[in-house]
Amino acid sequence: MVETREFFDLPAMQHRDNQSLAPRRATDPGWAHGTMVNGGRQKIKCKYCHKIFLGGGISRLKQHLAGERGNVAPCEEVPEDVKLEIQQHLGFKLSERLKRQKGLKSNKNSSTPCFEGMEEGGGDNDAVRIQKPLSALATSRRRGKEIDEGASNRTKKRKKQNLAAATPVVGLPLRQNFASHESIYEADMAVARFMYDVGLPFSAANSCFFQQMADAIAAVGPGYKMPSYQSLRSKLLNKVAQDAGVYSEELKRTWEVTGCSVLVDRWMDRTGRTVIIFFVYCPKGTVFLKSVDASDITNSAEALLNLFESIVQEVGPKNIVNFVTDTLASYRTAGKLLMNKYKTFFCSTCGVQCIDLILEEIGRMDEVNEVLAKAKRVTRFIYNNARVLKLMKKKTGGRDILQVAVTRFASIFLTLENILSLKDHLHRMFTGKAWIQSSVSKQRAGLEVAEIVTDPLFWSFCDQTLRVTKPLLSVLHLMESEERPSVGYIYDAMVRANKSIIEAFDDKEFDLMPYLKVIDRIWQEEFHSPLHAAAYYLNPSVFYNPSFSSDKVIQKGLLDCIETLEPNLSAQVMITSHINFYEEAVGDFGRPVALRGRESLAPATWWSLYAVDCPELQRLAIRILSQTCSITRCRRNWSMFERIHLKKKNCLEHQRLNDLIFVHNNLHLQQRRAEAVKAKCSKGTLDPICLEAMDANIGDWVEDMGSLEGEDLSWMDVSVPSERTFSHEVQNMDDSVDSTEDRSSNVTKVTSPKSRLKWKTKLPPDFRTRNLLPNLFR
């Protein structure tokens, strides 16, 4: 039998602290949670509930902590993570005993399938995989003592309870206190070799399913065999596709009540190939519908109209409230033709793309363009020189300059905002002793960058530019947020952004007009929809605010929505007659609880609670306020779409690839939904010198400028990750630049200021892998 001490290594400090409470040379992990009474091994006291066991020794204590009934009562005070550790330890010991006794021979009678429908093989090696769950292993360990063939019904019932109590919760992080450093290192190396061998991007480690996979494997214990090639492409894919289908059907059932928004996401690569991805949004979540190769029709409004019509019929015209398209002219034209044909829903362009268009035109203005060019020279210089980057990290406390958002120009102006926030740090860096004494400071590139950083005019123009872009970036963040449907807030957000820009320039019309003209033109020509005006009016947190003001645009937008979304004439009359109740807060609208809920509740939820006396108006308001005004973007996996759209294939293989794309996109959408609910899922951080983790369109801000003389450091000298530590202490940032942990579980991290945190933790959804091996990772 393999001894436990080979796999569990208690910290030396813990042994010293418990020297008088545990036997000398004790290696069993159970001693960390109990103490000897009167110096005897058989008489042990639980540290959590203080129960004293008069016999059974450390084994009885571990059964107590793991929740095993029969020999001892379960501990009611044990922390959940400790309980899971002990359960895993007991299952591990039994697994090793079974392997020694049976010589790793499979036992068909005792194996338990993972789920229904998994028994049939596909020509793979799944028969030798250990299918027995940890709870069953833990139960069979005490089978001789507890289970009797002729047990009564009460005993059988207790047996079922034992199974449930001993089942580990997969997904919770498992503590690594009992794993040796060497075994953890070997596990890390095994994961790394796999990723490097198959060419997975580093950002794959940011998937929430990455840790879930590791936890599930750890719960099974040693001897687990990974799924085979045939299993992954057959029954496992089919099972996950069925689960994704169930999730999709669950969302579809809500469309009739809340309505939905069809989202048209256009993907185009550098060769001009175009794929259109169709999503359907509702407050419960977003579902991937289908993908279409549109390379031949992307510039034809008539052809796009036919494609859009097929999507409308698939979703159902009565369910659609908003049809959100790309900002390309042919897509806008097709959207208008579609809206005029059906006249039961609205078509609008993506709000995120419209804000990015505004930022792009602002970036083309002479003064702004000059500022951005200088800022780009600073970032390219710093991020292409290891010694300079290391110095910058030290001076800024480990902070980065580059900030990545969902679009190119949002990323650019966020980076400019970050540069301005680090003004003092950068100024001290390029005027300090370390910089002056370095050889880089005497080279042409170094002199140019130092001149930019010490130029007061550069910082003045940065400040002026950000007075305009900061309010627009706030609007962009609002539309990207999945916390609530954005359509009820977008009109108000744009009004507030305009006011903020005017106030920032102290009403100086000469300085303001170029920026306001760009904003107003794109807002009116590209983005504005009656749906936005009606949602602005029906949002109680906006409407009942003292600063609310209505005009003819808002009134006409509301009437257009009534006529378009409610074709029944009698219902239209009822809506217009009941609108006064909402305006004057009469009836349930004026209840004290309704007044408090104006700000705290989502607008559609508020209407569902307090408008029951006005059912027609209630239905209209819920359908309007449940929509989005921007396109949800998923990871852009071109290799997958190339296989299904751009290559000849077998008919059956085509079905398999369709299922694969369906699963890939819907898993990503569910992950995004989980992030919005839990506020965190992917804990990875951005390394700006790694282009795969960035939007491909901002790569020019860190691209190589050519090596400098005297450069003797490499990327490892300034790498963000470092070797793991098992303490939770945050070291001094000036003394330890590379202090970020290389594992994302339960480690305190140094975070950015709140104003940048919301951008830093969200990687761009359309990133592509680009590194030293572009062909391998394509």
Side-chain angles (χ1 to χ4, degrees):
M1 183 187 225
V2 180
E3 291 187 2
T4 307
R5 65 169 60 95
E6 296 181 15
F7 295 87
F8 297 93
D9 185 19
L10 287 173
M13 181 62 72
Q14 188 178 42
H15 279 296
R16 288 196 298 270
D17 292 342
N18 297 334
Q19 189 172 13
S20 61
L21 304 177
R24 297 182 60 185
R25 301 181 181 177
T27 59
D28 195 299
W31 288 110
H33 310 289
T35 59
M36 294 189 301
V37 179
N38 300 329
R41 282 177 172 266
Q42 297 302 312
K43 194 174 182 180
I44 304 175
K45 179 180 179 180
C46 175
K47 285 187 176 180
Y48 304 108
C49 66
H50 306 295
K51 179 181 178 64
I52 298 177
F53 303 95
L54 301 180
I58 194 64
S59 298
R60 187 68 54 84
L61 173 65
K62 290 188 290 185
Q63 294 174 11
H64 170 69
L65 295 173
E68 294 187 15
R69 295 178 182 270
N71 293 329
V72 65
C75 181
E76 302 293 341
E77 305 295 332
V78 59
E80 189 66 24
D81 56 346
V82 174
K83 183 177 181 180
L84 291 175
E85 287 172 7
I86 300 301
Q87 288 176 348
Q88 186 178 6
H89 170 60
L90 293 177
F92 160 76
K93 292 179 66 179
L94 179 60
S95 176
E96 287 299 312
R97 184 184 301 121
L98 291 175
K99 287 196 295 182
R100 180 178 63 82
Q101 293 175 350
K102 299 181 180 180
L104 291 178
K105 293 181 180 180
S106 61
N107 189 344
K108 297 182 179 180
N109 295 329
S110 62
S111 63
T112 303
C114 293
F115 48 77
E116 295 181 6
M118 286 289 289
E119 295 87 346
E120 299 180 1
D124 52 21
N125 297 323
D126 287 349
V128 301
R129 296 176 60 205
I130 294 179
Q131 304 269 349
K132 199 166 189 178
L134 180 61
S135 59
L137 291 174
T139 304
S140 63
R141 181 178 182 271
R142 59 184 186 278
R143 181 169 298 166
K145 295 184 178 180
E146 289 188 58
I147 302 177
D148 184 13
E149 294 294 337
S152 63
N153 292 335
R154 185 176 59 185
T155 305
K156 292 179 180 179
K157 182 178 180 181
R158 186 167 64 249
K159 176 183 172 183
K160 293 181 180 179
Q161 294 174 347
N162 296 342
L163 289 173
T167 302
V169 182
V170 176
L172 290 176
L174 299 176
R175 292 171 58 186
Q176 301 170 349
N177 298 34
F178 303 128
S180 67
H181 291 259
E182 182 179 358
S183 63
I184 295 175
Y185 173 76
E186 290 299 329
D188 288 350
M189 289 299 295
V191 173
R193 278 190 288 266
F194 167 74
M195 294 188 69
Y196 305 152
D197 174 57
V198 300
L200 288 177
F202 302 131
S203 50
N206 291 331
S207 169
C208 69
F209 300 109
F210 188 62
Q211 185 60 44
Q212 289 181 21
M213 175 183 68
D215 291 343
I217 294 173
V220 174
Y224 173 77
K225 300 295 183 183
M226 298 293 283
S228 66
Y229 165 81
Q230 290 293 343
S231 180
L232 286 170
R233 70 193 300 269
S234 56
K235 56 189 177 185
L236 290 177
L237 175 59
N238 182 58
K239 174 61 178 175
V240 179
Q242 290 177 4
D243 293 341
V246 171
Y247 171 75
S248 175
E249 290 300 321
E250 181 183 346
L251 296 185
K252 288 180 180 179
R253 287 194 290 269
T254 68
W255 294 352
E256 185 177 355
V257 176
T258 64
C260 63
S261 298
V262 176
L263 313 178
V264 184
D265 191 11
R266 177 177 62 96
W267 295 6
M268 186 173 68
D269 68 2
R270 295 176 181 176
T271 65
R273 295 178 301 183
T274 302
V275 172
I276 299 178
I277 316 296
F278 292 95
F279 303 97
V280 182
Y281 169 90
C282 69
K284 287 282 188 180
T286 305
V287 63
F288 167 82
L289 194 63
K290 67 190 299 185
S291 63
V292 177
D293 179 12
S295 301
D296 299 329
I297 66 172
T298 192
N299 294 318
S300 170
E302 292 76 13
L304 289 173
L305 174 62
N306 294 331
L307 175 61
F308 292 171
E309 277 194 82
S310 67
I311 299 299
V312 169
Q313 292 301 321
E314 183 173 349
V315 176
K318 294 182 179 180
N319 294 328
I320 301 174
V321 176
N322 196 19
F323 197 95
V324 185
T325 69
D326 192 90
T327 54
L328 198 66
S330 57
Y331 286 71
R332 296 202 314 271
T333 302
K336 291 178 181 178
L337 293 174
L338 186 71
M339 184 173 63
N340 292 334
K341 181 173 183 178
Y342 283 91
K343 297 181 179 179
T344 58
F345 55 81
F346 293 95
C347 287
S348 61
T349 54
C350 174
V352 169
Q353 294 182 20
C354 289
I355 297 296
D356 199 56
L357 281 177
I358 294 174
L359 295 174
E360 181 179 3
E361 292 213 14
I362 290 174
R364 290 175 181 170
M365 297 179 180
D366 292 339
E367 290 183 352
V368 179
N369 187 42
E370 183 179 353
V371 169
L372 295 180
K374 290 181 177 180
K376 184 192 293 188
R377 288 169 67 183
V378 173
T379 60
R380 291 171 65 183
F381 175 78
I382 291 176
Y383 282 106
N384 280 280
N385 302 280
R387 191 175 297 279
V388 179
L389 180 56
K390 189 171 185 177
L391 179 61
M392 187 271 290
K393 292 274 191 178
K394 184 175 181 179
K395 294 295 184 182
T396 62
R399 291 164 60 183
D400 274 308
I401 291 178
L402 241 64
Q403 298 292 321
V404 177
V406 68
T407 66
R408 169 176 169 79
F409 285 94
S411 302
I412 288 174
F413 285 106
L414 279 170
T415 297
L416 187 66
E417 181 180 339
N418 208 27
I419 290 175
L420 183 61
S421 69
L422 297 174
K423 172 184 175 181
D424 295 335
H425 299 282
L426 294 174
H427 192 276
R428 285 195 296 268
M429 168 183 166
F430 284 98
T431 57
K433 183 178 179 180
W435 168 257
I436 294 174
Q437 292 179 348
S438 67
S439 59
V440 182
S441 66
K442 301 171 180 62
Q443 298 178 31
R444 179 178 178 182
L447 292 171
E448 290 176 351
V449 171
E451 183 179 355
I452 292 172
V453 173
T454 56
D455 182 10
L457 284 177
F458 169 72
W459 298 110
S460 176
F461 285 131
C462 282
D463 181 65
Q464 178 175 318
T465 301
L466 292 173
R467 292 180 194 176
V468 179
T469 59
K470 274 186 178 181
L472 296 173
L473 291 172
S474 297
V475 176
L476 188 64
H477 175 66
L478 169 69
M479 287 189 286
E480 272 298 294
S481 173
E482 296 190 16
E483 184 179 355
R484 294 181 179 183
S486 57
V487 71
Y489 299 92
I490 186 61
Y491 195 100
D492 182 61
M494 288 300 298
V495 171
R496 291 176 180 272
N498 275 354
K499 290 181 179 179
S500 297
I501 294 171
I502 294 173
E503 292 173 359
F505 282 85
D506 297 325
D507 294 330
K508 296 178 181 178
E509 186 175 344
F510 178 78
D511 296 330
L512 272 173
M513 288 312 297
Y515 302 111
L516 293 182
K517 285 182 179 179
V518 170
I519 296 172
D520 291 340
R521 177 174 57 79
I522 295 179
W523 169 263
Q524 295 297 333
E525 296 179 4
E526 304 277 351
F527 186 51
H528 177 66
S529 166
L531 196 67
H532 303 151
Y536 172 73
Y537 185 86
L538 294 172
N539 185 346
S541 66
V542 174
F543 180 81
Y544 293 114
N545 191 295
S547 63
F548 174 83
S549 62
S550 182
D551 54 29
K552 65 178 183 180
V553 174
I554 298 172
Q555 293 294 335
K556 287 185 177 181
L558 178 62
L559 294 176
D560 287 343
C561 283
I562 294 173
E563 293 175 350
T564 301
L565 300 178
E566 183 50 78
N568 186 287
L569 294 179
S570 60
Q572 292 180 9
V573 173
M574 293 298 294
I575 291 172
T576 53
S577 62
H578 288 160
I579 200 72
N580 289 333
F581 297 161
Y582 168 66
E583 293 175 342
E584 299 174 5
V586 175
D588 289 344
F589 293 122
R591 288 176 177 268
V593 67
L595 301 182
R596 292 192 295 269
R598 290 172 181 174
E599 297 289 341
S600 59
L601 296 175
T605 303
W606 187 88
W607 277 92
S608 68
L609 292 174
Y610 307 118
V612 291
D613 293 334
C614 311
E616 294 84 5
L617 177 60
Q618 181 188 50
R619 181 176 185 274
L620 176 73
I622 290 175
R623 287 170 63 84
I624 291 175
L625 294 168
S626 297
Q627 309 311 312
T628 186
C629 53
S630 62
I631 295 172
T632 298
R633 293 182 180 272
C634 281
R635 300 185 185 97
R636 300 195 169 186
N637 192 331
W638 269 108
S639 61
M640 187 176 296
F641 286 102
E642 284 177 350
R643 288 162 60 190
I644 191 169
H645 292 302
L646 305 174
K647 293 182 179 179
K648 295 182 179 180
K649 61 195 76 66
N650 176 270
C651 178
L652 297 179
E653 185 65 16
H654 182 78
Q655 296 176 10
R656 190 198 316 275
L657 291 174
N658 271 329
D659 283 348
L660 184 59
I661 290 180
F662 181 78
V663 167
H664 170 76
N665 284 281
N666 279 307
L667 283 178
H668 175 64
L669 291 168
Q670 290 181 55
Q671 178 178 341
R672 283 174 57 112
R673 182 71 178 175
E675 290 175 8
V677 173
K678 297 180 180 179
K680 62 178 181 179
C681 176
S682 172
K683 301 179 183 178
T685 55
L686 170 69
D687 181 2
I689 65 175
C690 180
L691 295 183
E692 76 158 32
M694 300 175 54
D695 189 325
N697 291 329
I698 198 178
D700 56 328
W701 279 64
V702 291
E703 68 182 8
D704 191 8
M705 297 174 58
S707 59
L708 294 176
E709 299 176 6
E711 181 68 23
D712 56 355
L713 297 180
S714 69
W715 58 272
M716 273 300 295
D717 294 303
V718 290
S719 178
V720 173
S722 69
E723 293 301 318
R724 107 177 20 84
T725 61
F726 286 90
S727 66
H728 291 264
E729 298 177 359
V730 180
Q731 299 181 2
N732 187 293
M733 291 183 294
D734 289 333
D735 298 331
S736 178
V737 174
D738 304 329
S739 62
T740 304
E741 302 297 338
D742 66 352
R743 190 171 300 277
S744 61
S745 60
N746 299 335
V747 178
T748 304
K749 297 182 180 180
V750 179
T751 57
S752 303
K754 184 176 180 181
S755 61
R756 297 188 310 282
L757 181 60
K758 58 191 178 186
W759 298 102
K760 180 148 184 160
T761 56
K762 187 173 184 181
L763 294 178
D766 57 347
F767 60 81
R768 300 173 190 161
T769 302
R770 297 195 304 159
N771 55 22
L772 298 178
L773 299 174
N775 294 326
L776 175 62
F777 292 128
R778 182 169 299 167

